Amino acid sequence: MAAVVVVHGIGKEYLGPRTLHGPIAPAVLDGVGLAEGPSLALEDIEAAFYGHLFRPSGVKGSAESLTEPYEVELLQAMWAEAARAEPDRVPPPPGPAERSKAQVPRPAQRALYALSRSRFLARTADRFLIGVLAQLRRYLTEPDIHARAQDQIAAAVKEDTRVLVGHSLGSVVAYEALCAHPEWPVTTFVSIGSPLGIPYLVFERLRPTPQKGRGCWPAGVRTWTNLCDAYDVVALVKQLAPLFGDGSKSVNDVPVHNGWQAHSIERHLTAVETGTAIAAGLTT
């Protein structure tokens, strides 16, 4: 039984539910503690794990392997966002005319080089970003991966689960699971570092499909808090309130500061802002 279920993001394929629980559960406790929320134990938090679905069979990614149009387009969008957020560190991407003359993987190599100077990729390898692109594409476009990931979330949510936290790709998985299961006891959704709002590449591909520019509000959810760092390029669209809501409910968009690891799940969870959102879901 777990009152809080955390759905991890991209790059966890070499872990497992227990190894993931190790750093995540204390981080939740720290954030809720800073928010002066209710007392929790480690066993009150569960990590819903689907990372094994992406574990490769010995093939390493490189810029030369980025040939999927979806991945290249998403990479370019992340580059543009990083340049907007950190113009002093990240050079802007080329204009349409220059891009039309270049062949992949040259644009991918340039984008990876530019992003390596951003806070998003601080102290991480290019291979991590390549994994971000591939895993997001595979979840959204491969029915078997999608279904199996959804099954892992459904197995983690129990009758006493009140809060579902989704990080990065995990926010997409968690959102779709909540939409598919209005009968769940979850009343609070907390999305962190979320790509849910990325136009065309993510938002329009959600299940259920958004209608007239608005995404479906998960029927059983009373409150939804979305948190992101200003320098997080995965959370390309920082404000989700304009995209989701049913008139009576709206996303509460809250900024956080994660230092030089803008996308880190642990830094998100230890933030008092995240702790406040989780605590509210446990006391209402």
Side-chain angles (χ1 to χ4, degrees):
M1 297 293 184
V4 180
V5 171
V6 179
V7 187
H8 69 84
I10 293 157
K12 306 300 183 184
E13 61 269 25
Y14 297 108
L15 301 179
R18 295 173 183 81
T19 50
L20 190 65
H21 184 270
I24 282 180
V28 172
L29 265 58
D30 285 342
V32 172
L34 282 175
E36 299 182 352
S39 178
L40 290 172
L42 293 176
E43 56 268 24
D44 293 323
I45 296 105
E46 181 168 350
F49 185 74
Y50 64 90
H52 60 287
L53 302 176
F54 298 107
R55 185 157 185 157
S57 56
V59 178
K60 296 182 179 180
S62 66
E64 287 71 22
S65 70
L66 281 175
T67 57
E68 285 282 349
Y70 177 98
E71 295 175 27
V72 174
E73 188 171 349
L74 182 56
L75 181 61
Q76 294 289 329
M78 289 179 173
W79 181 4
E81 171 62 13
R84 183 202 63 78
E86 299 182 85
D88 58 325
R89 300 180 59 86
V90 181
E98 185 179 350
R99 284 202 304 270
S100 66
K101 297 176 183 177
Q103 298 295 318
V104 176
R106 185 168 174 262
Q109 292 169 333
R110 293 180 64 185
L112 289 169
Y113 175 75
L115 281 164
S116 69
R117 303 171 66 178
S118 71
R119 296 190 190 209
F120 171 72
L121 274 188
R123 300 185 180 92
T124 62
D126 290 351
R127 193 173 299 150
F128 169 76
L129 182 53
I130 293 170
V132 168
L133 304 170
Q135 290 183 17
L136 187 55
R137 173 186 60 79
R138 293 188 65 196
Y139 172 77
L140 290 171
T141 63
E142 296 184 19
D144 180 60
I145 292 288
H146 184 279
R148 293 170 67 189
Q150 285 292 307
D151 287 345
Q152 296 301 313
I153 313 310
V157 173
K158 302 296 192 300
E159 62 185 19
D160 68 334
T161 303
R162 296 293 177 266
V163 181
L164 191 62
V165 181
H167 173 245
S168 188
L169 172 57
S171 68
V172 179
V173 181
Y175 165 78
E176 293 190 336
L178 287 169
C179 289
H181 294 279
E183 77 281 3
W184 281 357
V186 176
T187 58
T188 298
F189 179 38
V190 180
S191 54
I192 53 180
S194 176
L196 274 164
I198 298 178
Y200 174 65
L201 296 169
V202 178
F203 182 69
E204 283 78 6
R205 297 169 184 253
L206 294 174
R207 308 174 197 187
T209 304
Q211 301 295 321
K212 298 180 180 179
R214 304 287 294 185
C216 173
W217 183 275
V221 170
R222 293 201 293 264
T223 60
W224 176 354
T225 301
N226 177 60
L227 303 104
C228 71
D229 187 294
Y231 297 103
D232 187 347
V233 301
V234 170
L236 197 64
V237 175
K238 306 294 191 276
Q239 304 286 322
L240 295 185
L243 297 174
F244 298 90
D246 62 0
S248 62
K249 300 183 182 70
S250 179
V251 180
N252 180 28
D253 289 303
V254 179
V256 295
H257 191 293
N258 290 334
W260 285 101
Q261 295 183 43
H263 195 60
S264 165
I265 185 172
E266 290 85 0
R267 294 197 181 196
H268 269 292
L269 293 174
T270 57
V272 66
E273 295 90 346
T274 307
T276 298
I278 294 173
L282 297 172
T283 55
T284 57

